[in-house]
């Protein structure tokens, strides 16, 4: 095929097919969230004192910090998927969840005596957290990667990493409803580890799936 | 001219095949000069220039939804061109390093595109169409050989217009995959 012929064929296909990149990712986040919610309800379920816990700022903080990561990682993934975008500026989007987490840790360290730090950091359920968060994140990760295949990231593994953080944050958001450990110290260590693991998986998968 | 291109792209995204055809036709010689310069900087001969041009055109097409209409078109085009040039170099087993300043200096020179070298544009890449199924190849050929619309091609091939569009789109994705990058 000659270049002019190729152009003719491309032109005949002018109108884009399917949803836009943005609509696709939003759809993936919503569908992934629903799947993670159903998976949580069918397996671990919310913690027994869920309703009472809603009055606890520490409990609510877990949703705030994971939700902020969902939103910022989704925006970052969209930026990274556009050729010619300013990647360094885009990375600054992650400041919001980082500041929230660091701020909450500082407040916790100031409000709890040092003797209580270790118990709050280790918590009671970290092993479940490290398994459940990645588990709940698998469907969101698959959907996010699928949606981002419409994109054109300069660095496929980096885009995959961000997709993983996005999926990990969705998983963590719903796991938080079950998780009995509410201290920001626990969140900073175990949630971060679990979400980071999903991010690593996303980077490995993205390196293959998001190439173009 | 550049200001026009963004408008043509918008029209193309809205389904205006004539505007889209004009955009791609005008971009091709510019891409060819940029590719030539990039490959020369990387110490690569001219054999791969048309590969870069065609892969870039395909990528522009398949990834056209990643262009944000509120931003300038050309930085997006150059980023895709560079990505595809790196891809071609990588496949050549070269250290894939196309310095950005090489691109920048090229861009200044291509403000007014010259007539392309005819020989290059005619370089045949028949090996690529081998990756298509008979049906897909028939659709691609019907559309480009005669410049037929999807409806005309459908009548000729006894397919619905929608089926032609779907087959054409699939064929183009498969072509992109055949070049090396992603999977279909």
């Amino acid at each position: 095929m000659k270049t002019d012929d190729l152009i003719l064929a491309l032109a005949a296909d002018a109108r884009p097919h399917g949803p836009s990149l943005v609509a696709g990712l939003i759809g993936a986040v919503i569908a992934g969230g629903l799947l993670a919610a159903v998976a949580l309800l069918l397996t671990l379920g919310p913690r027994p004192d869920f309703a009472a816990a809603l009055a606890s700022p520490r409990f609510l903080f877990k949703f705030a910090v994971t939700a902020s990561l969902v939103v910022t990682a989704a925006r970052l993934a969209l930026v990274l998927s556009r050729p010619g975008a300013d990647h360094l500026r885009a990375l600054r989007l992650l400041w919001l969840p980082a500041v929230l987490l660091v701020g909450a840790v500082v407040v916790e360290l100031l409000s709890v005596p040092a003797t209580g730090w270790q118990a709050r950091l280790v918590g009671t359920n970290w092993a479940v957290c490290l398994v459940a968060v990645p588990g709940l994140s698998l469907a969101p990760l698959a959907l996010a990667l699928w949606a981002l295949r419409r994109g054109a990231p300069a660095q496929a593994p980096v885009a995959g990493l961000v997709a993983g953080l996005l999926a990990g944050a969705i998983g963590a958001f719903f796991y938080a409803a079950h998780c009995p450990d509410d201290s920001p110290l626990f969140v900073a260590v175990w949630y971060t580890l679990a979400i980071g693991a999903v991010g690593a998986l996303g980077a490995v998968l993205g390196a293959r799936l998001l190439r173009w | 001219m550049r200001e026009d291109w963004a408008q043509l792209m918008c029209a193309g995204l809205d389904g205006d095949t004539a505007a889209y055809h004009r955009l791609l036709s005008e971009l091709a010689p510019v891409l060819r000069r940029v590719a030539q310069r990039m490959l020369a900087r990387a110490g690569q001969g001219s054999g791969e220039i048309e590969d870069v041009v065609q892969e870039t055109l395909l990528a522009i097409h398949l990834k056209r939804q990643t262009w944000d209409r509120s931003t300038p078109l050309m930085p997006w085009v150059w980023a895709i061109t560079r990505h595809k040039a790196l891809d071609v170099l990588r496949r050549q087993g070269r250290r894939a390093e196309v310095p950005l300043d090489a691109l920048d200096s090229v861009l200044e020179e291509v403000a007014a595109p010259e007539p392309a070298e005819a020989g290059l544009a005619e370089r045949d890449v028949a090996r690529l169409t081998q990756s298509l199924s008979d049906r897909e190849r028939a659709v691609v050929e019907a559309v480009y050989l005669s410049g037929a619309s999807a409806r005309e091609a459908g009548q000729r091939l006894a397919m619905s217009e929608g089926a032609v569009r779907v087959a054409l789109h699939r064929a183009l994705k498969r072509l992109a995959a055949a070049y090396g990058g992603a999977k279909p």
Side-chain angles (χ1 to χ4, degrees):
Chain A
M1 199 192 321
K2 319 220 186 313
T3 301
D4 288 345
D5 303 331
L6 174 68
I7 289 173
L8 274 172
L10 297 178
D13 188 44
R15 187 184 293 279
H17 305 248
S20 72
L21 179 64
V22 178
L25 188 63
I26 291 174
V29 169
I30 292 173
L34 286 174
L35 288 172
V38 169
L40 178 81
L41 291 174
L42 291 179
T43 54
L44 300 169
R47 55 197 250 183
D49 64 340
F50 180 83
L54 285 175
S56 154
R58 286 191 177 83
F59 184 64
L60 296 177
F61 167 76
K62 296 192 292 186
F63 297 104
V65 71
T66 49
S68 77
L69 182 56
V70 170
V71 173
T72 51
R75 285 183 59 192
L76 181 55
L78 289 174
V79 174
L80 292 176
S81 296
R82 294 187 193 281
D86 186 342
H87 293 171
L88 284 179
R89 250 184 82 193
L91 277 173
R92 289 192 216 144
L93 285 170
L94 289 176
W95 69 267
L96 179 62
V99 165
L100 276 179
L101 188 60
V102 171
V105 165
V106 169
V107 170
E108 181 81 341
L109 291 177
L110 292 176
S111 59
V112 174
T115 49
W117 290 356
Q118 193 184 350
R120 285 169 177 258
L121 189 149
V122 175
T124 56
N125 229 12
W126 59 267
V128 176
C129 173
L130 288 185
V131 175
V133 169
L136 293 173
S137 304
L138 289 180
L141 178 60
L143 289 167
L145 287 171
W146 177 75
L148 290 175
R149 287 198 58 173
R150 291 175 167 279
Q155 306 281 345
V158 177
L161 168 72
V162 175
L165 296 180
L166 167 64
I170 294 174
F173 179 88
F174 288 100
Y175 173 72
H178 169 81
C179 171
D181 300 296
D182 292 343
S183 170
L185 299 179
F186 183 90
V187 174
V189 174
W190 304 108
Y191 278 44
T192 303
L193 266 178
I195 294 171
V198 183
L201 177 62
V204 171
L205 293 175
R208 295 183 60 89
L209 295 174
L210 300 182
R211 278 181 60 201
W212 56 284
Chain B
M1 175 174 226
R2 294 264 175 98
E3 307 83 67
D4 264 21
W5 286 348
Q7 285 169 17
L8 291 176
M9 185 66 169
C10 286
L13 286 168
D14 294 333
D16 181 342
T17 54
Y20 192 49
H21 183 264
R22 198 181 128 207
L23 170 69
L24 296 178
S25 302
E26 290 182 4
L27 276 179
V30 182
L31 295 176
R32 193 166 292 121
R33 300 183 62 207
V34 172
Q36 188 171 23
R37 208 62 62 88
M38 290 174 96
L39 294 180
R41 290 292 168 97
Q44 193 76 4
S46 59
E48 282 73 35
I49 292 174
E50 210 58 18
D51 276 359
V52 174
V53 173
Q54 296 188 352
E55 291 195 42
T56 303
L57 287 169
L58 260 172
I60 285 174
H61 178 70
L62 292 174
K63 302 297 184 182
R64 61 200 183 284
Q65 291 199 71
T66 66
W67 176 55
D68 178 349
R69 293 184 192 211
S70 65
T71 63
L73 179 67
M74 293 320 286
W76 177 83
V77 169
W78 300 135
I80 290 178
T81 311
R82 186 164 174 272
H83 189 84
K84 285 301 169 186
L86 289 172
D87 221 28
V88 166
L89 288 172
R90 211 171 280 134
R91 287 209 302 278
Q92 303 300 318
R94 297 271 169 161
R95 282 277 299 143
E97 281 173 9
V98 177
L100 267 178
D101 58 337
L103 228 187
D104 295 338
S105 63
V106 172
L107 298 187
E108 286 160 21
E109 297 162 31
V110 295
E114 289 165 6
E117 296 111 285
L120 271 179
E122 295 305 308
R123 182 164 177 265
D124 198 59
V125 282
R127 65 186 170 88
L128 288 165
T129 49
Q130 286 165 13
S131 64
L132 302 178
S133 72
D134 291 345
R135 191 179 165 88
E136 286 166 344
R137 196 179 310 125
V139 168
V140 171
E141 286 175 357
V143 169
Y144 80 67
L145 281 183
S146 53
S149 69
R151 184 181 304 136
E152 291 162 353
Q155 281 163 359
R156 203 168 310 167
L157 299 166
M159 293 164 70
S160 74
E161 186 181 344
V164 168
R165 287 188 188 284
V166 169
L168 179 60
H169 185 65
R170 287 220 182 106
L172 295 175
K173 281 175 106 167
R174 206 181 301 272
L175 263 186
Y179 272 111
K183 285 162 277 303

